[in-house]
């Protein structure tokens, strides 16, 4: 990212705001494992990635937030003293609007600012560009008040609520929490029921995590995402009539007999087995057992394909091609599914050949050319010292 260039452009877009702007950054995220269980009270294992959204910001003395994106149409103009209402025609601007509305409702008196933003996160790729935008706006509007871990958890909750109630996407808390709480070189083992978390070091030795973009866009709001949530709730209700549990991830495979419907049973089986795979993955990562972790990635993808049915032909083709290649220890879709990205654990010396072979096989099957990103794991949202 060309930060000096971003800073130089700021006054072109905000000629009336004098001063030297500051730079803020919110990373995107991948989920290592624990997919579609953050709304089932499960433990998930996401980490931040070194691609994200940059904001060049100057704070204002009045009650106005203005955000201009270098990459997309629309501007967000958010007056802090007037009612903020959703407007579909404003596109991405609804995300910051929803967040600011939430902060105001929680009596947090957000600050006015002008921001020029730009992103190197491919949009619609399931790397959480929406959550990154939400958390970035919340962080800037509250700056420098977000200091403790508790503040960061609150910020994640506020952003999730904004997405649920303002934008009407019924997402879980994983993405916002990961971006708010991320830690360099660590994944977050996050209990989505209690919001307790601990950091798990990710040191992959001779391997890298390669992000593979299917180039088939994923649309969360228009997708079967909300349907899956409802199905999981129904499955839980069946089990609850026999067992005293609060979340689907507390259930055991033995409890599946209480679910009469075949589809609901499959959804629940994914949630229950995926939770087990998260626990096993944490153990494998601690022991540096990359082959073992790779098998769990493959098993997770299969479960998301067959039981949860959220992978789709593009992600399946990508993962099938990836796991064929020598030096690939495992692969799975990451995020909501239906398109977007998958991740693969690949031995460092095999990466160039891996990219070539996956590209060839994937192109033959889908006529699309995938993109690959090898990222590091940075801290969560922050002001960059530049
Ligand atoms: C999206 C949602 C998350 C989570 C994942 C699936 O990224 O925003 O809350 O449910 O899908 O694991």
């Amino acid at each position: 990212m060309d930060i000096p260039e971003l800073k130089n452009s700021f006054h072109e877009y905000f000629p009336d705001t004098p001063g030297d702007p500051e730079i803020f950054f919110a990373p995107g995220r991948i989920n290592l494992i624990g997919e579609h269980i953050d709304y089932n009270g499960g433990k998930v294992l996401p980490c931040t990635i070194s691609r994200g959204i940059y904001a060049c910001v100057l704070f204002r003395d009045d009650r106005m937030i203005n955000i201009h994106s270098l990459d997309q149409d629309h501007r967000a103009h958010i007056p802090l003293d007037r009612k903020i209402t959703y407007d579909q025609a404003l596109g991405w601007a609804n995300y910051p609007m929803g967040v600011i509305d939430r902060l105001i409702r929680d009596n947090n008196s957000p600050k006015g600012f002008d921001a020029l933003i730009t992103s190197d996160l491919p949009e619609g790729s399931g790397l959480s560009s929406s959550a990154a935008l939400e958390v970035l706006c919340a962080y800037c509007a509250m700056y420098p008040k977000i200091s403790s871990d508790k503040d960061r958890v609150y910020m994640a909750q506020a952003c999730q609520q904004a997405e649920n109630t303002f934008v009407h996407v019924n997402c879980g808390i994983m993405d916002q929490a990961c971006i708010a709480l991320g830690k360099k070189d660590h994944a977050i083992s996050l209990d989505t029921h209690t919001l307790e978390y601990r950091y798990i070091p990710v040191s992959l030795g001779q391997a890298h995590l390669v992000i593979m973009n299917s180039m088939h866009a994923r649309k969360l709001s228009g997708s079967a995402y909300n349907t899956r949530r409802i199905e999981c709730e129904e499955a839980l209700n069946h089990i609850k009539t026999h067992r005293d549990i609060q979340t689907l991830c507390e259930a055991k495979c033995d409890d599946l007999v209480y679910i009469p419907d075949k589809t609901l049973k499959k959804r629940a089986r994914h949630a229950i087995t995926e939770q087990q795979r998260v626990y096993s993955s944490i153990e494998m990562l601690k022991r540096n057992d990359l082959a073992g972790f790779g098998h769990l990635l493959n098993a997770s993808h299969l479960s998301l394909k067959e039981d949860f049915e959220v992978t789709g032909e593009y992600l399946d083709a990508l993962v099938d091609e990836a796991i064929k290649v020598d030096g690939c220890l495992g692969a799975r879709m990451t995020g909501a599914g239906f398109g977007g990205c998958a991740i693969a654990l690949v031995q460092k010396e095999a990466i160039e050949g891996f990219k070539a072979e996956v590209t060839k096989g994937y192109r033959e099957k889908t006529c699309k050319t995938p993109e690959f990103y090898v990222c590091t794991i940075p801290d969560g949202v922050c002001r960059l010292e530049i």
Side-chain angles (χ1 to χ4, degrees):
M1 183 54 62
D2 190 346
I3 303 280
E5 178 59 31
L6 181 67
K7 268 190 153 181
N8 284 340
S9 308
F10 181 87
H11 289 290
E12 269 174 48
Y13 294 93
F14 297 105
D16 302 330
T17 318
D20 188 24
E22 301 177 70
I23 302 291
F24 293 81
F25 173 70
R29 69 95 191 87
I30 51 174
N31 187 15
L32 298 183
I33 197 154
E35 216 65 85
H36 282 278
I37 58 171
D38 68 335
Y39 50 85
N40 286 311
K43 268 205 180 128
V44 293
L45 195 63
C47 67
T48 49
I49 56 172
S50 50
R51 280 177 173 250
I53 308 182
Y54 294 79
C56 185
V57 174
L58 260 177
F59 290 97
R60 300 172 60 106
D61 297 328
D62 64 3
R63 310 280 301 143
M64 198 64 208
I65 291 176
N66 302 302
I67 308 172
H68 184 94
S69 164
L70 283 180
D71 318 309
Q72 303 209 49
D73 296 338
H74 309 298
R75 247 189 183 213
H77 292 292
I78 312 172
L80 300 178
D81 295 327
R82 260 180 279 149
K83 192 169 160 29
I84 304 171
T85 39
Y86 180 83
D87 180 351
Q88 199 175 4
L90 293 178
W92 63 268
N94 284 294
Y95 290 96
M97 283 159 57
V99 168
I100 301 305
D101 178 61
R102 186 74 253 158
L103 296 180
I104 294 172
R105 283 173 197 272
D106 290 349
N107 293 320
N108 268 312
S109 32
K111 265 204 264 189
F113 62 86
D114 289 336
L116 181 64
I117 61 171
T118 187
S119 166
D120 58 6
L121 271 179
E123 208 222 334
S125 62
L127 300 176
S128 274
S129 53
S130 324
L133 179 60
E134 291 160 8
V135 174
L136 183 63
C137 290
Y139 190 74
C140 292
M142 305 269 291
Y143 190 77
K145 280 194 280 181
I146 302 286
S147 50
S148 68
D149 291 354
K150 213 169 127 220
D151 295 336
R152 285 182 179 257
V153 171
Y154 160 73
M155 186 168 64
Q157 287 174 303
C159 290
Q160 182 208 10
Q161 278 172 21
E163 187 150 344
N164 290 172
T165 59
F166 197 88
V167 189
H168 297 294
V169 175
N170 217 0
C171 64
I173 186 114
M174 173 173 74
D175 305 345
Q176 292 81 359
C178 175
I179 293 163
L181 292 162
K183 180 169 164 177
K184 189 172 163 38
D185 298 331
H186 289 74
I188 307 174
S189 161
L190 172 73
D191 183 324
T192 58
H193 187 50
T194 61
L195 294 188
E196 283 165 8
Y197 59 92
R198 70 201 161 95
Y199 292 109
I200 308 289
V202 179
S203 52
L204 300 175
Q206 284 316 302
H208 261 317
L209 276 168
V210 179
I211 301 171
M212 309 182 285
N213 189 346
S214 70
M215 305 306 281
H216 177 69
R218 168 223 61 126
K219 267 246 142 276
L220 203 55
S221 40
S223 74
Y225 186 89
N226 288 349
T227 316
R228 291 297 180 281
R229 278 199 77 143
I230 295 166
E231 288 169 341
C232 288
E233 273 160 34
E234 286 176 14
L236 173 62
N237 286 337
H238 284 297
I239 299 177
K240 268 183 161 173
T241 55
H242 300 270
R243 287 243 294 123
D244 183 20
I245 54 171
Q246 282 176 291
T247 70
L248 195 51
C249 284
E250 289 167 59
K252 306 269 172 285
C253 279
D254 291 348
D255 298 327
L256 293 172
V257 291
Y258 304 131
I259 308 174
D261 180 273
K262 234 173 109 195
T263 304
L264 298 186
K265 205 191 274 271
K266 289 205 294 181
R267 306 297 187 245
R269 188 166 57 201
H270 166 72
I272 297 167
T273 58
E274 183 76 350
Q275 184 61 94
Q276 284 312 317
R277 285 185 287 271
V278 173
Y279 291 133
S280 309
S281 296
I282 293 173
E283 287 314 307
M284 305 269 175
L285 284 173
K286 278 191 194 153
R287 279 192 259 133
N288 275 324
D289 180 350
L290 297 188
F293 179 49
H295 282 128
L296 292 165
L297 296 179
N298 294 346
S300 169
H301 187 85
L302 199 64
S303 176
L304 287 155
K305 177 183 177 187
E306 293 187 346
D307 279 348
F308 219 66
E309 299 179 278
V310 290
T311 54
E313 56 173 318
Y314 293 92
L315 288 169
D316 287 340
L318 205 48
V319 167
D320 286 349
E321 291 307 315
I323 60 182
K324 271 193 222 160
V325 180
D326 271 350
C328 174
L329 303 170
R332 60 178 289 274
M333 57 153 267
T334 191
F338 313 105
C341 286
I343 52 172
L345 186 62
V346 186
Q347 244 126 27
K348 280 183 187 161
E349 73 277 2
I351 288 184
E352 286 316 310
F354 171 86
K355 289 183 191 168
E357 283 186 51
V358 174
T359 301
K360 184 166 173 286
Y362 184 68
R363 254 198 215 143
E364 277 166 13
K365 282 187 179 158
T366 64
C367 298
K368 282 185 191 279
T369 304
E371 282 185 359
F372 301 91
Y373 321 114
V374 179
C375 294
T376 53
I377 304 178
D379 284 332
V381 66
C382 60
R383 176 176 165 274
L384 297 179
E385 301 291 338
I386 286 177

